[in-house]
Amino acid sequence: ASLIMSNVECLFKVFSKGGVIFGTYILLSPYQVLADSFTPLDPAKVVLVDWVAVIVSIIPFVGVLLAVGFYTLLERKILAIIMIRKGPSKVSYMGILQPFSDAGKLLCKEFIVPTRANVGPFILAPALMLAISLLGWLLYPYKSAEVFYVFGVILFMVITSVSVYGVMMSGWASNSKYSLLGAVRAMAQSISYEIPMGFIFFCVVLCSGVFMFQEISVFQQSLFFFFLPLCVVMLVWMLCMLAETNRAPFDFVEGESELVSGYNVEYSGGGFAVMFIAEYSSILLSSVMSAAMFFGGNEALVGFFMMVFAIFFVVVRASLPRLRYDKLMNLCWTVLLCVMLTASVCVVVLVGV
């Protein structure tokens, strides 16, 4: 009986969310009819809401969410292969529908707000993290896009810098010592590794002569990949991406052995699911930008090397243990910074020659 009641409750929650969306559409419909009635009789018909444009603009973000779901399945499968076990295999054929099962389970759970938490920032933090991670996908290097960001490299740096604010807000608003420590670690880690990342962008922009990701990718159409002259720069870039996305061996923000779960320890249900989606969306975005910067040329090559980088994130997680936090900061300020300063000087000399 309890199982039946829980299933009925889950169905009720799903239908209630669908009812909210349908109700919003019903509320907007009279305004659409009213706008149509006052539209002047000319060939260019003005409408209040262009539903086609709205749907077309939403489809890429829906694709990102689906990609995140199946990327989690791929990660669990690869980890299972490395650890010699099965992994998800029960839900549907070979566990293909496991991401939808996990999402349904999390969204049907209760979203608990701690008694002494700051309610507004606590609820807003997951939405902010997801919005910032999806905002970065506007920089995807399509060759046939309607909008081109001339200074896409700078915008990508801004987005990766701002993404730490969601972690900071969630850690502070939870009013928990574990969450606060995770947020402080995230801020220090992000600030430190953005300095070598800035030098990496300097090298790539100096070699290509443009700040647009589309142009950087097109510059490598003749199979002269930037990986060839900038192989050391790409290795430093991968370390910076591991640190920026809080992945092993730099996952100090979510250090289970020290911080239980880090900045998201007080989150449950939908809030935890949104944070999870934001983190994996940032990983896929970093893989795309890595492929476009060092192995561009055409969209097929970018897609192939994106998968290579995405699998690299998983293999590193399964292979390397977590470092100590002081060694992480020491690696950045004493090793990577010196390497990138030397590489930047070499690139300036080579481009000048």
Side-chain angles (χ1 to χ4, degrees):
S2 62
L3 180 60
I4 294 173
M5 290 299 295
S6 62
N7 289 333
V8 170
E9 185 182 358
C10 291
L11 288 174
F12 177 75
K13 289 182 180 180
V14 171
F15 284 124
S16 63
K17 289 179 174 60
V20 169
I21 298 172
F22 182 72
T24 306
Y25 173 77
I26 295 298
L27 289 174
L28 285 176
S29 296
Y31 295 101
Q32 178 68 58
V33 174
L34 186 63
D36 291 344
S37 63
F38 286 101
T39 301
L41 297 175
D42 57 352
K45 186 180 180 182
V46 181
V47 294
L48 181 64
V49 180
D50 189 357
W51 293 106
V52 176
V54 170
I55 293 172
V56 169
S57 60
I58 289 175
I59 286 175
F61 298 112
V62 174
V64 171
L65 297 179
L66 290 174
V68 167
F70 286 108
Y71 179 59
T72 59
L73 178 63
L74 175 67
E75 180 182 28
R76 294 172 70 178
K77 288 284 189 181
I78 295 175
L79 291 176
I81 293 171
I82 293 175
M83 298 175 185
I84 317 177
R85 54 186 177 85
K86 277 193 173 183
S89 59
K90 301 298 182 185
V91 183
S92 180
Y93 177 70
M94 295 177 62
I96 291 177
L97 297 183
Q98 183 69 43
F100 299 99
S101 175
D102 294 337
K105 178 195 71 173
L106 287 172
L107 294 176
C108 289
K109 283 187 175 181
E110 182 181 2
F111 182 72
I112 300 173
V113 180
T115 305
R116 298 189 177 184
N118 298 292
V119 179
F122 185 84
I123 296 175
L124 183 62
L128 179 65
M129 292 178 65
L130 182 62
I132 292 174
S133 65
L134 292 179
L135 184 64
W137 284 93
L138 297 175
L139 299 174
Y140 188 89
Y142 285 115
K143 293 182 181 177
S144 58
E146 294 183 1
V147 179
F148 293 93
Y149 294 92
V150 179
F151 294 99
V153 170
I154 298 177
L155 183 58
F156 181 76
M157 288 190 65
V158 171
I159 290 172
T160 54
S161 304
V162 173
S163 62
V164 74
Y165 282 97
V167 179
M168 178 186 70
M169 185 185 297
S170 63
W172 171 78
S174 298
N175 202 10
S176 167
K177 297 297 185 292
Y178 295 123
S179 302
L180 185 60
L181 282 173
V184 171
R185 286 183 174 190
M187 287 185 287
Q189 186 171 319
S190 177
I191 292 170
S192 300
Y193 277 82
E194 279 168 8
I195 299 173
M197 192 170 69
F199 282 108
I200 294 168
F201 281 127
F202 172 76
C203 295
V204 173
V205 168
L206 200 61
C207 290
S208 61
V210 290
F211 285 86
M212 192 188 303
F213 278 110
Q214 282 87 353
E215 292 292 334
I216 293 174
S217 180
V218 169
F219 191 85
Q220 306 173 70
Q221 273 187 341
S222 60
L223 298 182
F224 176 73
F225 298 139
F226 284 152
F227 166 73
L228 301 175
L230 302 177
C231 55
V232 177
V233 174
M234 197 195 80
L235 294 176
V236 178
W237 166 262
M238 293 310 302
L239 291 175
C240 291
M241 285 298 99
L242 288 171
E244 284 289 327
T245 55
N246 306 319
R247 294 287 291 183
F250 305 139
D251 54 340
F252 303 100
V253 181
E254 305 165 350
E256 293 87 359
S257 57
E258 310 109 26
L259 304 179
V260 184
S261 183
Y263 68 95
N264 56 9
V265 67
E266 301 293 344
Y267 283 88
S268 61
F272 179 81
V274 170
M275 286 183 164
F276 195 78
I277 292 171
E279 179 181 346
Y280 277 81
S281 173
S282 301
I283 293 171
L284 290 177
L285 178 64
S286 302
S287 302
V288 171
M289 295 309 170
S290 303
M293 286 170 57
F294 297 102
F295 296 97
N298 55 56
E299 293 181 2
L301 280 175
V302 171
F304 173 76
F305 284 107
M306 172 206 169
M307 287 302 302
V308 172
F309 283 112
I311 293 173
F312 167 78
F313 277 96
V314 180
V315 173
V316 167
R317 176 183 177 181
S319 305
L320 299 178
R322 185 182 298 124
L323 298 178
R324 267 199 346 240
Y325 193 73
D326 59 328
K327 291 188 175 181
L328 167 77
M329 305 302 284
N330 187 47
L331 174 67
C332 172
W333 291 104
T334 62
V335 178
L336 298 186
L337 187 59
C338 297
V339 170
M340 284 315 305
L341 282 170
T342 307
S344 300
V345 172
C346 294
V347 170
V348 169
V349 172
L350 290 175
V351 172
V353 173

